Structure formats: structure tokens, C-alpha cells
Amino acid sequence: MSGDDAVLGGVLARLLTRSRAHGPAELPGLVEEAVRGLGAEGARILLADVQQRHLVPLPGAGEGGSEGDVDIEGTLGGRAYRLQRTQLSTGSPAVGWYPLVDGVERIGVLRIEGQARDEGAIARYEALASLVALLAVSKSAYSDIIVEVGRRHRMSLQAELLWAFLPPRTIGTRDVTSSAVLEPAYDVGGDAFDHAVARGHLHLSVFDAMGHDLASGGASSVALAACRSTRRAGGGLADIVRAIDRTLARWIPDRLLTAVVADLDTATGELSWVNRGHPAPLLVRDRRIVPDALLRRAELPLGLGFHEDAPQAVHHARLQPGDRVLVHTDGVTEARSASGELFGEQRLADTLVQHMAGGEPAPEALRQLIHALVTHQDHELRDDATILLAEWHPHRPGR
């Protein structure tokens, strides 16, 4: 082991050990101490806000010469976040921006000031950033400080309820990636999404409950809980649909809910799904939408109690490597501009393909797409809008 590797190992071990006995407010100070141990002058942890428009400093020690929020658009820090690649300034003292990524989920950036520019030093700072991301995520589970940093406005009660149930926005393995966005972030009513990987399968679900109030948020949260409970007990898609329908009909009988619930076999590319009154999923292949590829007859929405004993229509399609499946709620295509122009499926497809053609990762393409939707409706969405994009990129041994 080289001397530099030994120093790095000691710094990371000390940070990990000390972080166990300190809360989130002390994390910036611990990180600044760590970067100084690696030869830099200072550090600052910046986390993305809920709408992914700004990088917001985590309060505490370690100002690192940085002042205030950093825009995700048009800045080096934002570029590091958007592309998930380290960015270095050309000025003096040297400043590096290192993406904070938990698995494949972007959470922010680590700003390091007065750093060395050689490849070895950059690799050591990237290793530090990986540990910082894990520490920030682990402490966010019990810290209002980290959660509050990401908020620019007060959450409505139904939004608070739904965000507590939602999974990370982006998940993935070497075979699949799934990413989702949801607006209005601070006042979402009945939309929700879920994705999970287990035993060679990717689960996907998108829900849209009728209305835009606390009961709507409750209906979507109940649907998420019923879906997960059934799935984790070994139930299939038909079982999930019955469980949601039965639960809503019994406990929230005045709320209907549309849904797409899907399963992707990550070894074969076999996609199976059910559609209960929801817009049809879209298949993106070679950076274009394949017309009607996943269009099937939609069944009645959930919550009526009609699906308890009825046969469940489960649809199937075989994906090709590199294919993407997009699931959205009707609040996306039916969003209207001030002049009454619909956002529409074609604009949805064109906007998505445009950003994917530029080589942007799926989470960034979705971030740009949801911002285009919000801009189209003059920043005043009148319905929830949720978009989930899953990509099958099977691993090839030896490649």
C-alpha cells in the first residue's frame, strides 16, 4: 500500500468512526477536518432541493469559502450534480466539485477548496465524497436538518404523507436503472410511484388517486403499502391489484385510483404489467417512441371492489437491450399552458428524446422534462404530474 493510500484509509476510517457519535449538524465539521487531512483547505456539503433546482449548503462548520445556494443550471457545481462527474475550476485556489451519489441516486455535491490537481488527489477526494454521501443519507433518516435543507417551501399535509412513503428517486443495478420525478413537489395530492429490485426483477408502479387533498394522498399511500406488502409476501401482479382494490374499497371507499403495476425480468427483458384505468406506458427504443408498442385495453380503476374475483389481465412484451419504459400520469400530457395548449404526448416524447440524445443520464433527462412541464404551465400545475423512466441495460460478462 502506498503512503497516499494509507493516509486516505486513515482519514476515511477516522471520519466513519467519529461520525457514529455525532449528529448531522456536526457532519460538515467532520468532513472539513477530513479534507484537510488530505491536503485541501476546506469543504462544503451541498444537497439538492426537492425540485432539483438548487444545491443548498448543509449548515454547520466548514464554510469552505462558499456563499449561499448554487444553481444547478449554469454552474460547475450544478454540472457535477447533473452529469455525476467531478468538475474542477480553472482559478486559484483550485476548487473541485464532487458528486454525492448514493448508489445511483444523486443527492448533492461536495465542494473542496484549495485542493491538489493531480489524478491521485482527485481519486482520494472522490473516495471521500462517496463516504460523505453514505453518511448524509444514513443520517437523513432521523434528522430534520438534512430534510429541511432540501425544502424551499412548506409541505402540505398530503405531500408530507406521500414523501414519507416514496422510495429514492433513482435506483439501479448493472442491469437496470429506474428514475422518477413528481410535481408539484410541495403540494402533491394523489400521485405516487414505487420501484424496487429483488431476485433478478425490477418492480415498477405508478398510482394516480382521484382528487387533490389529504384523502387522495392517503389513498395513494395505502396503495403503496398494499403493493409492497403483497409483493414482499411473494404475490404477483394480479395479487397486488386485488389487494389494492380490496383495501381501498374497504377503508377509503369514495376514492378511485388508476395504476400501472409492472415487473421486468432483468435477465430476459420480459416486461409484464397491468393497467387499471391509467395512460398506457411508452416504449423508448433507439431514442424514439415506438408507437402503441405497449398500448393495451385498460381495465377499470381500483377502489370499486370489482377486481376481487374477476380474472386479471396481465400483459407481456419482450424488451431489447437499451430499451426504456416510460410511465406517466395524465397530469403530464394534460397540462395546459396559459393559452390552453396541452403539453401532450408528442411534446413529452420530443423533450425526453432531445435530452437523451445529448447523452444525459436518465435522472437528468427526467429532471429537465419535469421542469419543461412546469414551465409550460407557468409554474402553476393544476394536477399532479409523475413520470417514471426505467431502462434495461443487461450486463454482458467480459465487457
Side-chain angles (χ1 to χ4, degrees):
M1 178 183 293
S2 69
D4 288 339
D5 288 340
V7 170
L8 174 63
V11 167
L12 297 183
R14 188 161 51 250
L15 173 59
L16 182 59
T17 300
R18 295 192 61 194
S19 69
R20 294 171 184 163
H22 291 78
E26 289 74 44
L27 185 58
L30 296 177
V31 172
E32 180 151 23
E33 178 183 316
V35 300
R36 288 176 176 167
L38 295 176
E41 296 177 4
R44 190 71 160 145
I45 301 170
L46 298 99
L47 304 178
D49 73 314
V50 172
Q51 294 177 300
Q52 301 183 83
R53 295 183 180 276
H54 307 280
L55 297 167
V56 186
L58 183 63
E63 293 297 326
S66 179
E67 296 182 2
D69 300 352
V70 174
D71 290 339
I72 288 179
E73 297 290 345
T75 65
L76 271 183
R79 182 178 176 82
Y81 176 83
R82 290 187 291 108
L83 302 182
Q84 300 178 50
R85 292 200 297 267
T86 297
Q87 304 293 318
L88 301 179
S89 71
T90 57
S92 181
V95 175
W97 300 87
Y98 295 84
L100 298 177
V101 183
D102 176 36
V104 292
E105 166 79 328
R106 307 178 297 181
I107 65 169
V109 298
L110 177 64
R111 182 187 193 274
I112 298 180
E113 187 169 294
Q115 65 159 75
R117 294 179 182 271
D118 62 278
E119 291 184 4
I122 293 171
R124 291 190 290 275
Y125 297 134
E126 288 177 340
L128 174 63
S130 296
L131 178 57
V132 172
L134 293 176
L135 293 176
V137 169
S138 69
K139 294 182 182 299
S140 66
Y142 62 87
S143 167
D144 281 350
I145 293 175
I146 293 179
V147 173
E148 289 167 0
V149 163
R151 297 188 179 184
R152 317 285 293 186
H153 308 286
R154 181 174 180 172
M155 285 273 182
S156 66
L157 287 178
Q158 61 264 30
E160 192 75 59
L161 176 66
L162 275 174
W163 279 108
F165 274 83
L166 293 178
R169 281 180 295 220
T170 302
I171 63 171
T173 67
R174 65 182 184 176
D175 295 316
V176 288
T177 304
S178 179
S179 189
V181 288
L182 187 155
E183 285 282 359
Y186 297 97
D187 192 33
V188 61
D191 278 14
F193 67 87
D194 198 14
H195 44 202
V197 289
R199 295 178 291 278
H201 288 259
L202 170 67
H203 169 85
L204 307 168
S205 54
V206 174
F207 304 110
D208 183 359
M210 178 184 69
H212 193 89
D213 53 19
L214 186 58
S216 303
S220 290
S221 299
V222 164
L224 279 171
C227 178
R228 290 171 180 169
S229 175
T230 306
R231 183 178 80 234
R232 291 166 181 171
L237 299 181
D239 301 310
I240 290 172
V241 167
R242 292 190 184 98
I244 296 173
D245 192 49
R246 179 173 60 249
T247 305
L248 290 176
R250 178 177 180 182
W251 298 108
I252 314 180
D254 59 341
R255 295 287 165 159
L256 301 182
L257 177 142
T258 70
V260 167
V261 184
D263 174 271
L264 174 62
D265 186 319
T266 61
T268 66
E270 179 78 12
L271 177 71
S272 305
W273 76 99
V274 294
N275 186 337
R276 297 297 178 262
H278 205 82
L282 302 177
L283 177 63
V284 184
R285 176 173 293 161
D286 297 328
R287 297 176 179 175
R288 67 181 183 87
I289 302 292
V290 182
D292 299 334
L294 304 180
L295 180 62
R296 307 289 191 275
R297 184 173 69 90
E299 305 295 325
L300 290 170
L302 300 174
L304 295 168
F306 291 165
H307 299 287
E308 178 66 26
D309 301 313
Q312 301 301 309
V314 179
H315 310 296
H316 303 275
R318 182 61 63 90
L319 302 186
Q320 297 178 11
D323 279 356
R324 294 177 171 96
V325 176
L326 186 146
V327 186
H328 65 88
T329 58
D330 58 12
V332 176
T333 52
E334 295 178 7
R336 292 183 180 273
S337 67
S339 62
E341 181 184 7
L342 288 172
F343 192 78
E345 186 175 296
Q346 188 60 51
R347 194 193 308 266
L348 166 65
D350 290 345
T351 304
L352 178 66
V353 169
Q354 171 191 343
H355 289 288
M356 290 193 305
E360 294 173 350
E364 179 59 21
L366 279 193
R367 189 186 74 90
Q368 297 282 358
L369 175 56
I370 200 71
H371 288 177
L373 175 71
V374 172
T375 300
H376 176 80
Q377 207 162 354
D378 296 329
H379 301 274
E380 291 291 339
L381 292 182
R382 288 172 283 279
D383 192 8
D384 298 338
T386 299
I387 311 170
L388 183 148
L389 181 66
E391 179 181 1
W392 185 50
H393 43 79
H395 174 72
R396 293 289 183 263
R399 295 181 61 183

